[in-house]
Amino acid sequence: MKKKLKILEALYSRKLPKRNLISCILILSILITLIPSVHLKAVTGIKLYNYTNKRESYYTGKQIKVTCKNIKISKDLSPGIITDGITMVSAYDIFAKSKIGAAYSYNKAKGSIVLQKDGNRISMTLGSKAATVNGYKVTMPAAPVLIKYVKANVTKILVPARFVTEAFNYGCTLLNSKNELIIQTDLYGNTPGNIAQGGKFIYYDGLIYTTEFDFYLSRMKPDGSGKKMIEAIYRPQYLNIKDGLLYYYSQGSLYRSTITGSSRKKINDFNSITQFIIYDKYIYYINHKDSNRIYRMNLDGSGRKKLSSDINMKNLSISNRYIFYSSNQVLYRMNLDGNSRLKISSQGAENIVTDYRYVYYIDQATRDIMKVKFDGTGITRLSHDNAINLNISGNTLYYSNGKDYNKLYAITTEGKIKTKILDVPVYYPNIVNGYLYYIPDEHNDGNLHRVKLRTLTAETTNSKTAGNYTGNIINDAFTAASGSTLYFCDPWLNRAPLNYTSNTSLKKYENKDYTDFYEINIVDKYMYFTMSKHNTNGIGGIYKMRTDWSEAPVRLTDLNADNLTVIGGWMYFTNYSGMNHYVGSGTIYKMRTDGSDLQMINPGKSGQAGCLNITGDYIYYINESDNCSIYRMNLDGSGLKRLSADGGIITFQVYGEDIYYRNLNNRSIMKMPVGGGMGSVIIQNADTKLIVYQDRIYFFKLNLTDLSFSLYSGDLDGSDLIEVKSNVLEHDLNITAGFAFVKDKNHTVIKVNLDDISTIK
């Protein structure tokens, strides 16, 4: 104020003409009032500190509120921001802490962020646009950044909002006029994968809605209890729920009712629909009355619009804002408005499902499972199993294998890993709320079943099922599962239901001539196992018998065997001499499952071998003749190559694109690329066994306070270490069908349900 008076005095003292003086005063007043307004604009922004470039700045752009199902899920003091046109939001607040409920983990040392939801896994790193979605490498529009909101004194990891929401198959809309980002988790009325299976099941508000006996609609709790009929109607299919209303198909007509079955209304003409799916605010359907062309209409049945002139359309699917369909033995893609049609495969496609980058389908002619990129490139055959009933969750495809009596199989989206999930026929596999629900009778007799989804774990060679999991094979394979039956040895061979407890009556294979069973492999209805020569009768070798124990074991060879792996009609193993398989072990053999064609693999060149991993088209092993280093060769013994730069390795497992191993020299678990190179330490002070299972590492650790051992688990990068089970022996570890099998201090085999450990992400 004093400065203003001095300026006025100075002007007045010059005795300017009154007219000029008034003009100067007015101009000066305007300039003075503008100065504080510029200053106020700067300080009204959000003060941020960027930990990457170590700079403070004022953000003066739009402060974005995030909502989901009309509920605000963002924080007022740490709103979303827009940088270079990309909306960035808190990964934890928006996707984990909110009702979206994604599993969240952050490794501070490595700057890695992982979000997981409904089988989808997104992995990101601070400062990098590179990310992976269900194992596929992708490029984000912006890199995650670690930001401190200075005034609120909170630090958040901001990630590109649209990228994450669409990777989770959600919708994302930015309302610029309201500075609001809307996340739509209910974009679909049902998943495209379920619609491909007739839409027999759907989850809504804690209940499962399903068809039953082909004559009813019913609802129940996820475990099957509290079942209640809500509608009597013939063969309802394609269940969709949108905005609290239930949509379904029956005898060519589309109906809508409340979720309790009341106020039922037909919203289309009779015999005009063969398939439909709800996406956003529209119903997309195949119009039977117009040569099976694709149409779109509003949720109330109004506003019908033809989207394509193609005829004989089948297998309608929607994903990533595209419509996929098959017409006259050709697979097409087009935009949601019917424009920009693109031919992406010359094969007729059934059971079309998608993920973030690929379309998966069953070739109508060959029944092979195929995949192709959205732009029509990269077409690949994944399996040749006469497949039906294809569905997807995350990076795993589930299907009924026509070559094995329509039993349920699973294969990764890259085609590298395949296994049999259930030893029973499966029809209409619908994936709902972490479970695969199915009908064991093609004619739908009303017997509904479910199996919990798990990350695929059994390796195969050229799509042939292995007899046990590699993680078990390198740890004596004293457990195996077939269907709903668990087999384990200690030292007798035992048989029990998978969900057995200490009170369950076990069946034992007790024969004085057969003890010390190990290396259990189960393929089809046969069990393969080894016995050492120091059992009660001194009869060692590899044996085979039926899983129902209806016949006596048949000895296939009298060679002492370790790391037995039955895969693709062959048995691979190492032969050791003497009573101790750690002395003189090393010759790698293979023979057919009937005991014929016994042959050494690369004799005299591969060294003394142990810890076999048979994965893909390779044999991986520890070469004890070369400082216990990891080697690899082809299945026929050619292409021998040393992979590890270091030695002193006592156990390892190939998992995905990496090799995880335990180094005796530093008591650490290390990791290196599957192609070889220098390993890096990811977990220190790890003892004895090692198994990688469902993207977690399991190992024993010594407790220095009482010198006892505990079973621990950690993420693949070594973070998030959790004690799974304390006071166990470090000698034995297997993981089968979601259970960890260890021995307590009384040398009794106990099991731990890994799905019940709530702290494991």
Side-chain angles (χ1 to χ4, degrees), residues 636-657:
D636 61 2
S638 63
L640 185 65
K641 176 185 178 181
R642 176 174 172 167
L643 299 180
S644 62
D646 50 343
I649 297 169
I650 59 173
T651 186
F652 78 97
Q653 183 180 335
V654 179
Y655 188 88
E657 298 300 318

Side-chain angles (χ1 to χ4, degrees), residues 301-320:
S302 64
R304 300 179 189 183
K305 176 185 178 182
K306 180 165 64 177
L307 297 181
S308 174
S309 59
D310 287 331
I311 62 173
N312 299 325
M313 294 185 177
K314 298 179 180 178
N315 304 290
L316 171 66
S317 185
I318 295 179
S319 181
N320 295 81

Side-chain angles (χ1 to χ4, degrees), residues 284-297:
Y284 296 81
Y285 65 99
I286 296 176
N287 190 339
H288 180 65
K289 285 189 172 181
D290 189 13
S291 301
N292 289 324
R293 291 183 169 94
I294 293 179
Y295 276 65
R296 184 182 76 184
M297 63 182 172

Side-chain angles (χ1 to χ4, degrees), residues 122 124 131 133 138-141 160-168 356:
I122 308 168
M124 301 167 281
V133 177
V138 296
T139 301
M140 297 183 290
R162 184 175 296 279
F163 169 80
V164 176
T165 54
E166 292 185 352
F168 282 146
Y356 194 72

Side-chain angles (χ1 to χ4, degrees), residues 446-712:
N447 294 315
L448 308 179
H449 297 256
R450 72 174 185 175
V451 59
K452 188 172 180 60
L453 297 179
R454 299 190 300 270
T455 301
L456 206 55
T457 54
E459 281 89 353
T460 63
T461 301
N462 298 328
S463 299
K464 303 182 185 92
T465 304
N468 206 332
Y469 180 47
T470 297
N472 289 341
I473 288 169
I474 63 175
N475 288 287
D476 295 329
F478 62 89
T479 65
S482 177
S484 59
T485 303
L486 171 71
Y487 297 84
F488 67 97
C489 47
D490 185 35
W492 300 102
L493 186 60
N494 300 276
R495 188 170 71 193
L498 272 177
N499 60 347
Y500 87 99
T501 66
S502 59
N503 298 322
T504 301
S505 177
L506 304 178
K507 292 183 179 180
K508 286 189 177 183
Y509 187 83
E510 294 192 59
N511 186 313
K512 64 180 181 179
D513 292 332
Y514 302 100
T515 60
D516 293 311
F517 297 83
Y518 287 101
E519 318 290 348
I520 302 174
N521 281 244
I522 296 177
V523 176
D524 295 328
K525 295 186 180 300
Y526 285 94
M527 174 187 300
Y528 303 81
F529 57 90
T530 68
M531 287 195 297
S532 64
K533 287 188 177 180
H534 57 77
N535 68 66
T536 55
N537 211 25
I539 305 174
I542 299 175
Y543 290 79
K544 173 183 179 180
M545 71 175 178
R546 296 185 67 87
T547 53
D548 61 4
W549 299 349
S550 60
E551 300 172 358
V554 176
R555 186 163 64 172
L556 301 176
T557 178
D558 62 356
L559 291 174
N560 282 330
D562 203 1
N563 300 141
L564 175 65
T565 305
V566 182
I567 190 167
W570 289 89
M571 296 182 292
Y572 298 82
F573 60 94
T574 58
N575 167 243
Y576 61 92
S577 60
M579 303 294 287
N580 187 347
H581 67 279
Y582 292 107
V583 178
S585 61
T587 307
I588 302 176
Y589 281 82
K590 74 173 183 179
M591 67 178 179
R592 298 190 185 276
T593 52
D594 62 1
S596 64
D597 201 10
L598 177 67
Q599 53 187 281
M600 286 187 289
I601 300 178
N602 203 352
K605 297 181 181 180
S606 57
Q608 299 298 302
C611 199
L612 286 188
N613 280 231
I614 313 294
T615 303
D617 294 323
Y618 295 108
I619 300 173
Y620 299 80
Y621 66 96
I622 293 175
N623 189 342
E624 297 176 11
S625 303
D626 187 11
N627 193 29
C628 291
S629 302
I630 297 176
Y631 274 66
R632 184 186 75 188
M633 60 182 174
N634 298 324
L635 294 176
D636 61 2
S638 63
L640 185 65
K641 176 185 178 181
R642 176 174 172 167
L643 299 180
S644 62
D646 50 343
I649 297 169
I650 59 173
T651 186
F652 78 97
Q653 183 180 335
V654 179
Y655 188 88
E657 298 300 318
D658 295 294
I659 296 176
Y660 299 82
Y661 62 96
R662 182 171 173 266
N663 193 309
L664 184 62
N665 297 326
N666 57 16
R667 290 184 60 233
S668 296
I669 293 176
M670 305 183 69
K671 173 182 175 180
M672 71 175 179
V674 74
M678 179 63 70
S680 58
V681 175
I682 56 175
I683 298 174
Q684 295 180 330
N685 300 321
D687 296 282
T688 62
K689 304 295 182 178
L690 164 69
I691 291 182
V692 187
Y693 177 83
Q694 292 190 358
D695 294 341
R696 300 281 294 180
I697 304 170
Y698 293 84
F699 62 96
F700 291 113
K701 188 173 183 179
L702 177 65
N703 301 311
L704 297 177
T705 54
D706 58 1
L707 299 182
S708 65
F709 284 89
S710 293
L711 176 64
Y712 272 77

